[in-house]
Amino acid sequence: GPTANIRNFSIIAHVDHGKSTLADRILERLGAMGERDKRDQTLDTLELERERGITIKSTPIRLNYRRENGEEYVFNLIDTPGHVDFNYEVSRSLAACEGVLLLVDASQGVEAQTIVNAYLAIDNNLEIIPVVNKIDLPAADPEGAAQELEEVIGIPAEDAVFASGKAGLGIPEILEAIVERIPPPPGDPQAPLKALIFDSFYDAYQGVILFVRVLEGTLTPKQPIMLFGTGKTFEVDKVGTFTPGLVVGDSLPAGTVGWVAAGIKDIHDAQVGDTITQKDRPTPEPFPGFKPAQPVVFSGLYPTSTEEYRKLRDALEKLKLNDAAFTFEPETSEALGFGFRCGFLGLLHAEIVQERLEREFDLDLIATAPAVVYRVTLTNGDVFETQNPAEFPTRDRIDMVEEPYIKLSIMQPEEYVGPVMQLLQERRGSMVTMNYVGKRVELIYEVPFAEILYDFHDRLKSISRGYASMDYEQIGYREGDLRKVDIQVNNEVVDALAVIVHEDKAYSLGRKIVDKMAEVIPRQMFPVPVQATIGGKIIARATVKAYRKDVLAKCYGGDITRKKKLLEKQKKGRARMKQIGTVEVPQEAFLAVLSTD
Ligand code: GTP
């Protein structure tokens, strides 16, 4: 067929197993440009907004491969985000492919993300080419790693290709394996249109640009299209491919990967995972598995100075244009004033957004501790969801509280199983299974999502000396004995500091928060009490001592650079402070609950 020479694939791996290095090496071998050049060219080929702060996402790369016998192939290499927050996007990118290179570091072997990614590929019926990478490392055990893939995932060890992205080993073998093992894309270009959206970005000139895999039919300019998930209709303006910039083309037939611009102004109208069809000749069924992006972690963002409220709102609006998974709405806190409650896919997503707001939009922010979404049944029978601890109802009004759970997979060497199980126990986890993988163990646990939001990953890394790796998925809601802990500073309740916690941990968490706060709140002229309370009852207390000396007194006026540095440090610190009553409270205090004990 017309697609016999097309191969659509992706590279999946655990973090740091060498995905980018190997991809670059493949590009180089096929005469394509690296990521940076590609980005510049992207902006040149199709006229796109060139503005600070709007970075174009990594596009798929179209590559030409010529075999020794002269046969020509088109490879579409589709990038996948490498973090659990974006696993849904990963699964949609994989759905656009027929195969994957599953990379495993020859010195590390199979890790948690290797397994989760492999299963995403298996769920999508993809051909998996196992690649044992970094074989140049002195500690490499390529056969061992291949054996692990067979034991854990059931991929025959003899299928593995041995490679090194860094040393450039095994690249010809990988290219041949792509041609021989990954099937060409199926699909009838005459059938009713069915195209899967696997990524998108917003551009001020073109509107939303959708990255699509055409499964059936053909996408052409002027075509009236409909989105299955939202029911919205548009007319295709331009289509094209990635060669490697966004190049305008005539049509995208079944089997191809490309982009579509259709004057879509709102990224929520055409979301990742949704199916595009022709309005007047629809395909009977959409591609399965569409889930509109839904934030699962919430945090309040407040400007440190009230004058920046508008600027923050404008920045959030701008970010949202490009990120369907990010939400925000105005919120008012007694302590922090006017700000926004923001929703994210996970902690990393939250960090990325906050970092962009501060760097690209030059904002100084106070962020409140992240919280999950709780489902509360009141004694009067009403059920509602809340992700804001400040809004949590009082004990006497609550009949039942449910909280989100995750299925957590952790890989570690055998010797760390004990400490890791203990950590999971502390986090209210219950074991599902335990699998041996050579000398390592995979633990599968069900754990309340809230329990891994605070310092879990750091603790895991430290108790396993960095050897444990984790991944997770959401598995729904379960009842829990949860309490709201309020925090008082100088005898005033600070609403933005409230946290929801399991009854068994309320005391220890309250203790941790007040101790940390007493440590980070700068000394005042008078002692400041910091207290944790449940329903008005004090469960922990600490005191910020009254201050004594001027901080500059230490410098004796001698070392001027040191003095400057100190002042700068103070200035920086000051920018991230919030006045609460008579007390200045720094950002760290709002995240005291996140600190590692
Ligand atoms: P993320 O983008 O963070 O997921 O990482 P990645 O999987 O793309 O890995 P990346 O290519 O950035 O490589 C991670 C580290 O491993 C870097 O320090 C690389 O220099 C190193 N590395 C990558 N490939 C090889 C290899 O074949 N041999 C050796 N010795 N080191 C490698």
Side-chain angles (χ1 to χ4, degrees), residues 13-22 82 103 105 113 133-138 163-168:
H14 188 73
V15 58
D16 275 348
H17 281 201
K19 195 172 92 171
S20 313
T21 308
L22 188 82
L103 290 201
D105 183 322
Q113 261 184 299
N133 192 31
K134 304 198 189 181
I135 56 166
D136 60 301
L137 284 175
S164 164
K166 197 167 190 176

